[in-house]
Amino acid sequence: WGQAQMGVPRVPRGSASVTSLLSLAVTSEQIEHLHRRFKQLSQDQLTIRKENFDSIPDLEFNPIRGKIVHAFFDKRNLRQESDGLAEEINFEDFLTIMSYFRPIEMNMDEEQLDRFRKEKLKFLFHMYDSDHDGKITLQEYRNVVEELLSGNPHLEKESARSIADGAMMEAASICVGQMGPDQVYEGITFEDFLKMWQGIDIETKMHVRFLNVDTIAHCY
Amino acid sequence: MEVVWAVGQLWVAVVLGLIVLPSALGISLGISEAYMWVLVKTLEWATIRLQKGAKKRQPQMPRTPTANGIIERDETTMEKEIALLHRADFEFSHIFYFCRKGFEAIVEDEVTQRFSSEELLSWNLLTRTNVNFHYISLRLTVVWVIGVIVRYCFLLPLRFTLAAIGITSMIVGTTVVGQLPNSSVKNYLSEVVHLTCSRILVRALSGTIHYHNKENRPQKGGICVANHTSPIDAIILTNDGCYAMVGQVHGGLMGIIQRATVKACPHVWFERSEIKDRHLVTKRLREHVADKSKLPILIFPEGTCINNTSVMMFKKGSFEIGGTIYPVAIKYDPQFGDAFWNSSKYNIVSYLLRIMTSWAIVCNVWYLPPMVRKENEDAVQFANRVRSAIARQGGLTELPWDGGLKRAKVKDTFKEEQQKNYSKMLVRNGSIG
């Protein structure tokens, strides 16, 4: 307690810049919560590695667990210039990834909303596009579907494939329209991806909303 | 020099007269009640100050009280949600659901939060719980400083003295009683010794315990089962009745206590090697239970300390022994002191130190009606039934997870279950073919 006042939250120095990074009102309480969670996951170290996510039992159930964890270390999501995967992330990076799941605020204007939506979709796009070439190919999509269905002995690989192929065909028809018999569909680019989701409200499906905890009179 | 001696004598006289003697006789002088009353008033005042301070800081933000978490969980089931987003064969929608669930789990998961202390909604003037709260006013600080002085300079030595007296008298008393030949007199005396020492130890923690439904108290030849929050659970229960403890043989002070007490009363202590052999353990416990003159055994089926907001999976071993199960629910009030032992963060000594410098340990103990295993139930179902009863009475949530997750990873069998669920649902929706 180097501070004269008691109980000032012990969040690291760099976090003043973090709030500006998040650019919308994230309360300091939420940052404190996330910081505590970060410390718990990192076991009091300054950075998190992939292995640290193994300690979350709820996450084990998730079929796309691998992709989610991967997303935390994907440099494209961390807004870094370079490409590829980071070895470890610090608290600022952690918050950057968390910011993709911010809920919409009441006071956002059109442009902000649009940018918001694009960011969330970009995050999702990166999850599919595992080789970082800017396109979701049929093989990449098949990978995702297989992962979703992994572990179920009753579902054969063939069924997974046919689901993937069916979905790709639909995507192609939305993006390119009717294709000739010789045309090969390269893959879904980000613009096509955006087109597919036009008109569908994804913002409310892709957020994690914090509850506001109040110091209510809890004694009797 | 003489002054010190006189003060020392006075101190011992006060402790013996006001605390030890009444506990031996089982009566209460009302000192702890007065203390608790003052404490409650002070904490109420502090909370009101904090509220006033908080209002000044952030005037208008919608606030919602929370029971058990910091993020809003969307309770829509997997099926409904995917149906909502489903458009022809579009599997992208499924990713949303799992992505969000994944993030929710990363921000806060139901299980690991049980292995750390419960967060208080209102500060109780202990430094250690001061996580969310900021500097409010001078008066509050002054009260807090007084609190620190009271706790560390007055309460701590008092409690330490009492604990020392309690443990010493337990060892000495049980050794003496243990010399007697087996008879009803011996049993009676051993009960008296155990009860007295328990009472002294509870006062050493400034414990205020409310027992409910005493008519359901465990009888001889039964098995008492309770949720586990800390090592002092056993003392809380033995304060009101005598039990035969079950546990592993330790070294050190604990080992001395174990060796002394087992002479007076048939506690069941296992060597480390014996614990691994489940059949041996079950056999010994069965023999104990079969003897209707022996005290009920006390077991904590969770196997590890949980933070008293939920009840985790009960290990089925205790429920295979047979006999009548007497469930007991223990719920601590976190406002006065956190009883949870986070064994990965604190060792036993620092844990005891924290307990002794809290305000008090306040808890409610409910004795539930006895339960027996039904004809068509197996041990696991029976364990779950008992667990539900305990959770419901104590106001705790039930989690199907294993307390062993504190240290180990999720078993693969659990994972496969969930994945099977998901694929079954896909097939049903006709997404295939």
Side-chain angles (χ1 to χ4, degrees):
Chain A
W1 331 320
Q3 281 113 352
Q5 306 150 327
M6 54 185 182
V8 172
R10 297 158 206 94
V11 179
R13 293 278 148 198
S15 297
S17 60
V18 167
T19 324
S20 61
L21 185 109
L22 297 177
S23 79
L24 287 173
V26 176
T27 66
S28 55
E29 273 166 4
Q30 291 168 357
I31 297 188
E32 280 172 61
H33 275 304
L34 287 172
H35 187 241
R36 249 176 292 145
R37 183 61 171 164
F38 181 84
K39 275 208 295 198
Q40 203 182 36
L41 289 175
S42 70
Q43 287 160 2
D44 286 330
Q45 304 293 317
L46 288 172
T47 56
I48 293 189
R49 299 172 162 270
K50 277 202 177 167
E51 298 79 64
N52 294 111
F53 286 97
D54 289 345
S55 59
I56 306 176
D58 275 347
L59 198 55
E60 294 292 310
F61 271 4
N62 205 309
I64 53 168
R65 178 189 178 281
K67 290 243 181 279
I68 295 178
V69 173
H70 192 97
F72 273 80
F73 295 87
D74 190 336
K75 285 201 185 162
R76 296 173 293 177
N77 292 335
L78 294 172
R79 300 175 206 257
Q80 285 170 18
E81 295 312 318
S82 55
D83 205 13
L85 282 183
E87 286 271 319
E88 48 186 21
I89 51 172
N90 60 19
F91 183 53
E92 234 178 273
D93 298 327
F94 185 70
L95 281 184
T96 313
I97 305 287
M98 281 294 161
S99 69
Y100 287 104
F101 275 76
R102 268 174 298 161
I104 333 176
E105 304 288 319
M106 291 300 125
N107 54 1
M108 282 163 95
D109 59 21
E110 271 301 319
E111 191 194 313
Q112 276 180 317
L113 271 176
D114 193 49
R115 191 160 39 107
F116 209 50
R117 191 187 153 86
K118 266 216 181 101
E119 270 175 18
K120 292 193 191 245
L121 284 173
K122 190 119 212 202
F123 183 77
L124 211 58
F125 186 78
H126 290 159
M127 240 192 216
Y128 275 86
D129 180 22
S130 39
D131 62 3
H132 302 214
D133 65 352
K135 285 203 287 280
I136 305 179
T137 59
L138 180 61
Q139 192 50 50
E140 282 169 344
Y141 191 52
R142 277 185 190 153
N143 283 342
V144 176
V145 177
E146 267 166 26
E147 220 172 279
L148 274 177
L149 301 177
S150 58
N152 186 343
H154 299 297
L155 222 51
E156 296 130 18
K157 256 204 161 178
E158 279 315 305
S159 326
R161 276 203 157 186
S162 56
I163 298 175
D165 295 350
M168 276 305 265
M169 284 225 285
E170 163 154 355
S173 68
I174 296 180
C175 309
V176 185
Q178 279 290 49
M179 290 201 305
D182 296 342
Q183 270 184 300
V184 169
Y185 186 43
E186 291 268 325
I188 310 176
T189 61
F190 186 54
E191 282 68 39
D192 297 340
F193 196 66
L194 283 179
K195 242 192 274 179
M196 278 171 9
W197 288 104
Q198 230 168 31
I200 302 181
D201 174 28
I202 57 124
E203 293 87 340
T204 55
K205 290 296 162 196
M206 244 184 96
H207 72 256
V208 173
R209 188 180 287 280
F210 275 86
L211 289 174
N212 281 316
V213 181
D214 190 8
T215 61
I216 19 177
H218 197 64
C219 39
Y220 24 93
Chain B
M1 203 50 225
E2 288 195 358
V3 179
V4 177
W5 184 235
V7 168
Q9 277 185 316
L10 184 63
W11 174 251
V12 173
V14 161
V15 168
L16 281 177
L18 288 181
I19 299 177
V20 176
L21 205 53
S23 30
L25 300 172
I27 56 178
S28 162
L29 289 176
I31 303 178
S32 1
E33 279 82 357
Y35 168 64
M36 291 303 291
W37 185 86
V38 170
L39 197 55
V40 169
K41 287 291 169 211
T42 318
L43 289 179
E44 269 176 13
W45 173 84
T47 313
I48 295 176
R49 302 283 322 171
L50 278 169
Q51 264 192 308
K52 279 203 203 137
K55 271 206 199 96
K56 265 187 278 175
R57 265 190 311 133
Q58 279 156 354
Q60 295 115 351
M61 273 187 86
R63 300 269 179 169
T64 37
T66 177
N68 243 329
I70 57 169
I71 52 180
E72 186 179 307
R73 296 276 177 148
D74 193 351
E75 297 296 332
T76 336
T77 58
M78 182 162 67
E79 283 88 347
K80 244 203 288 173
E81 183 137 348
I82 293 188
L84 283 175
L85 276 178
H86 213 67
R87 217 181 57 160
D89 297 308
F90 225 28
E91 264 64 37
F92 280 114
S93 51
H94 299 177
I95 295 287
F96 281 136
Y97 176 78
F98 285 115
C99 218
R100 197 174 88 233
K101 284 288 165 197
F103 265 74
E104 280 176 359
I106 290 176
V107 173
E108 172 187 68
D109 79 292
E110 276 201 320
V111 179
T112 47
Q113 66 164 270
R114 311 295 170 185
F115 297 134
S116 57
S117 300
E118 185 179 355
E119 283 192 23
L120 288 178
L121 286 177
S122 161
W123 190 38
N124 64 349
L125 296 175
L126 295 176
T127 329
R128 62 195 68 142
T129 48
N130 189 358
V131 185
N132 283 336
F133 306 103
H134 308 272
Y135 177 77
I136 300 289
S137 74
L138 183 61
R139 262 192 275 180
L140 201 59
T141 317
V142 168
V143 171
W144 175 74
V145 170
I146 297 179
V148 169
I149 298 176
V150 165
R151 281 184 297 123
Y152 279 84
C153 304
F154 177 62
L155 288 178
L156 181 60
L158 175 66
R159 288 173 181 167
F160 194 70
T161 321
L162 281 175
I165 295 179
I167 295 180
T168 330
S169 39
M170 169 104 80
I171 298 177
V172 168
T174 47
T175 315
V176 165
V177 172
Q179 306 303 323
L180 300 172
N182 283 348
S183 66
S184 52
V185 174
K186 178 180 180 186
N187 291 342
Y188 174 68
L189 282 177
S190 123
E191 276 183 34
V192 167
V193 169
H194 276 98
L195 272 176
T196 312
C197 299
S198 263
R199 288 196 197 116
I200 298 178
L201 286 174
V202 166
R203 279 167 213 234
L205 301 168
S206 293
T208 306
I209 312 176
H210 302 287
Y211 296 97
H212 305 267
N213 308 335
K214 282 200 186 181
E215 66 273 8
N216 290 328
R217 223 188 294 190
Q219 307 293 324
K220 293 205 170 124
I223 304 174
C224 178
V225 154
N227 57 319
H228 200 31
T229 306
S230 96
I232 59 176
D233 284 345
I235 304 176
I236 304 268
L237 287 178
T238 54
N239 189 38
D240 192 44
C242 281
Y243 299 88
M245 308 278 189
V246 176
Q248 213 179 51
V249 169
H250 287 98
L253 182 61
M254 196 62 220
I256 301 177
I257 299 177
Q258 284 178 325
R259 277 193 293 276
T261 51
V262 82
K263 292 199 191 95
C265 173
H267 298 297
V268 186
W269 303 124
F270 289 102
E271 300 288 335
R272 180 154 257 151
S273 50
E274 289 177 324
I275 282 255
K276 298 222 171 74
D277 184 353
R278 272 194 45 203
H279 292 292
L280 186 67
V281 170
T282 320
K283 184 161 148 306
R284 252 180 93 177
L285 291 177
R286 224 176 248 156
E287 281 166 4
H288 185 110
V289 169
D291 185 350
K292 291 296 170 196
S293 67
K294 292 216 173 133
L295 296 169
I297 48 178
L298 181 56
I299 295 184
F300 297 105
E302 276 165 317
T304 184
C305 295
I306 313 289
N307 77 344
N308 209 236
T309 55
S310 70
V311 184
M312 291 211 173
M313 191 174 94
F314 275 4
K315 299 208 188 320
K316 65 177 175 154
S318 336
F319 298 89
E320 289 174 331
I321 305 171
T324 326
I325 302 272
Y326 295 89
V328 175
I330 307 176
K331 178 84 177 102
Y332 290 90
D333 188 340
Q335 194 70 14
F336 297 98
D338 179 23
F340 168 58
W341 182 30
N342 192 344
S343 49
S344 44
K345 229 173 149 189
Y346 305 106
N347 61 10
I348 185 78
V349 175
S350 42
Y351 167 71
L352 286 174
L353 198 65
R354 280 164 63 91
I355 290 280
M356 289 199 188
T357 52
S358 313
W359 293 117
I361 301 290
V362 176
C363 64
N364 284 298
V365 175
W366 287 274
Y367 292 107
L368 297 166
M371 293 178 152
V372 191
R373 187 160 81 157
K374 295 202 189 117
E375 283 293 319
N376 49 356
E377 255 184 346
D378 69 354
V380 175
Q381 290 166 329
F382 183 37
N384 285 338
R385 194 159 60 95
V386 172
R387 192 172 59 125
S388 303
I390 293 182
R392 226 173 312 129
Q393 179 66 76
L396 308 163
T397 54
E398 257 188 281
L399 289 181
W401 295 93
D402 187 348
L405 283 175
K406 209 193 232 178
R407 299 187 183 91
K409 286 176 57 158
V410 182
K411 294 209 185 70
D412 283 326
T413 38
F414 275 129
K415 279 203 279 194
E416 280 157 18
E417 280 287 325
Q418 185 77 353
Q419 284 163 337
K420 274 198 209 125
N421 262 347
Y422 172 67
S423 337
K424 251 188 268 173
M425 193 203 59
L426 263 191
V427 173
R428 241 196 323 218
N429 275 353
S431 312
I432 312 266

